[in-house]
Amino acid sequence: MVKLDQINISNDGLTKFFSPIEAAILKTLWTEGEMMTSELTEKTKIPLTSIAGTLDRLVKAGYAARRIDNVNGRVRYVYAPVYTEDEVATEITTKIMDSLVESFGHVAIENFSKYSDKK
Amino acid sequence: MNLLGEINCFAVCLKLSEFAMLVALLIVISISLLAASFMIKMPKHRLLTFVSAQIAAFLAIITTFYLMKCDGMLTIYLYSGYAVISTALIFGVQRFYDRLMIKRLNAKPISNVIGWVQEFTGRLANATVYYYDAAVPRAFAAGKSIFVSFGLLEMLSDDELKAVLAHEAWHIRNNNRAPYMKQLAIMTFSSPGREEIEELADRYAAEIAGSEALSRARSKLDKVFI
């Protein structure tokens, strides 16, 4: 969960920074917007027993928000992403760059500028 | 006084005492009751037998200590301290545990989200039902309160929820005995008959909500019941 000590560079895509279940939930929320728990389990194909704890963690960490919905006496959570995909990308990039600059100082900054020249 | 000396002291005192036979008898009774409790099928009788075995073991400990003629025995001091601290913790915590949980979980009265739950539970036990914000389905009873996570409300149908509520209501109805059983387990260095207690709560839940609803709720929740 976007903690620098848990970044795993060898993983693919978002799972570098999030657990596979966290990544699946976030991706689904980014594409679909608001979703009920049952819709999330259907879309991600992850059973509720595995998804519930992760949803609690995402909400606690501030990546997802939920509200209570009550239809004809049936209650349920409706989830929504708190940040857009770009905002999360910016947050992660800033964290990593900060840590690189902190460790390597001007060498890191020189490499950033080389990188942007190449682009 | 060192420990080896104490063991020696126990042996000498027991040998000299006329009550050594009584201690031996209590130990034999305790072991036989324990063995019997493993063979009994009915959860209620099994629990009673198990608790009786614990009482016999506790009496054996107390009698042994009573017979000791040696002064200032470390083991007796330790055991008394252990008794005082555990009693204070168990009975103290029991009293405030539900209020503590309401605060910690930021729990809210269930009537805020579902109307019938409080009324249904009120008929079974003198308990207030609270829900708290968590997707992980969970239900537990503490003091005079039943706590259910929102995830539980979301996952279960009404009759399955009734089975869970009845299970927890049974715990509340029998909660006044629970701390004594825990205390007895601590004093005899054994465990309270948790499995039997859960089984009795389930039997009650099946009576109230039907065994089919209970087993559906169980299969959905697996091991989240407490």
Side-chain angles (χ1 to χ4, degrees), chain A residues 37 48-49 52-53 55-56 59 66 68-70 73-77 79, chain B residues 113-114 131-137 150-151 153-158 220:
Chain A
T37 317
L48 182 63
T49 40
L55 283 169
D56 282 341
V59 169
R66 60 186 170 204
I68 288 173
D69 191 40
N70 195 332
R74 296 261 7 123
V75 290
R76 57 208 177 183
Y77 276 135
Y79 290 88
Chain B
V113 285
I114 306 182
Y131 78 95
Y132 63 95
D133 181 35
V136 175
F150 193 85
L153 301 174
E154 191 180 35
M155 184 198 266
L156 299 184
S157 67
D158 286 358
K220 277 189 186 175

Side-chain angles (χ1 to χ4, degrees), chain B residues 92-107 126-130 140-147 172 175:
Chain B
V93 167
Q94 179 76 12
R95 234 175 150 173
F96 302 109
Y97 192 57
D98 52 349
R99 268 179 273 170
L100 202 87
M101 290 313 279
I102 292 171
K103 238 190 189 159
R104 231 189 87 194
L105 298 169
N106 191 19
N126 176 23
T128 316
V129 187
Y130 294 90
F140 62 95
K144 291 258 170 258
S145 310
I146 293 173
F147 295 87
I172 304 255
N175 249 0

Side-chain angles (χ1 to χ4, degrees), chain B residues 48-63:
Chain B
L48 277 176
T49 319
F50 183 63
V51 170
S52 311
Q54 286 179 324
I55 292 174
F58 183 57
L59 287 176
I61 294 172
I62 297 297
T63 318

Side-chain angles (χ1 to χ4, degrees), chain B:
Chain B
M1 182 177 275
N2 63 35
L3 266 181
L4 274 178
E6 290 218 355
I7 293 170
N8 204 19
C9 185
F10 275 112
V12 172
C13 286
L14 276 173
K15 213 182 272 174
L16 293 176
S17 157
E18 302 137 31
F19 293 103
M21 280 311 286
L22 177 67
V23 175
L25 183 68
L26 282 169
I27 293 172
V28 170
I29 291 175
S30 176
I31 293 172
S32 339
L33 283 171
L34 186 68
S37 77
F38 285 116
M39 285 181 268
I40 294 172
K41 289 256 164 10
M42 284 274 289
K44 194 172 179 183
H45 297 159
R46 195 161 66 220
L47 190 62
L48 277 176
T49 319
F50 183 63
V51 170
S52 311
Q54 286 179 324
I55 292 174
F58 183 57
L59 287 176
I61 294 172
I62 297 297
T63 318
T64 311
F65 282 163
Y66 179 73
L67 297 177
M68 292 305 109
K69 306 284 190 291
C70 321
D71 289 325
M73 286 184 71
L74 181 65
T75 35
I76 295 185
Y77 285 135
L78 282 178
Y79 191 74
S80 314
Y82 177 66
V84 171
I85 293 169
S86 58
T87 310
L89 275 178
I90 285 191
F91 288 86
V93 167
Q94 179 76 12
R95 234 175 150 173
F96 302 109
Y97 192 57
D98 52 349
R99 268 179 273 170
L100 202 87
M101 290 313 279
I102 292 171
K103 238 190 189 159
R104 231 189 87 194
L105 298 169
N106 191 19
K108 311 241 163 45
I110 193 83
S111 349
N112 291 2
V113 285
I114 306 182
W116 60 267
V117 171
Q118 182 57 56
E119 202 210 320
F120 171 82
T121 314
R123 269 185 273 139
L124 303 178
N126 176 23
T128 316
V129 187
Y130 294 90
Y131 78 95
Y132 63 95
D133 181 35
V136 175
R138 225 182 138 212
F140 62 95
K144 291 258 170 258
S145 310
I146 293 173
F147 295 87
V148 293
S149 71
F150 193 85
L152 184 100
L153 301 174
E154 191 180 35
M155 184 198 266
L156 299 184
S157 67
D158 286 358
D159 59 340
E160 291 159 1
L161 181 58
K162 279 180 187 166
V164 173
L165 291 167
H167 175 107
E168 299 306 332
W170 186 91
H171 282 304
I172 304 255
R173 284 157 66 123
N174 294 281
N175 249 0
N176 49 350
R177 269 175 268 169
Y180 296 99
M181 286 176 56
K182 268 186 217 159
Q183 184 66 30
L184 190 60
I186 285 178
M187 296 322 294
T188 51
F189 308 98
S190 54
S191 66
R194 192 165 261 297
E195 246 174 69
E196 286 78 15
I197 293 172
E198 294 307 318
E199 220 173 312
L200 286 170
D202 266 4
R203 289 194 170 204
Y204 179 71
E207 243 172 68
I208 298 291
S211 51
E212 207 237 334
L214 175 73
S215 62
R216 260 187 286 127
R218 264 244 175 271
S219 65
K220 277 189 186 175
L221 295 173
D222 249 288
K223 45 189 179 183
V224 281
F225 274 110
I226 291 191

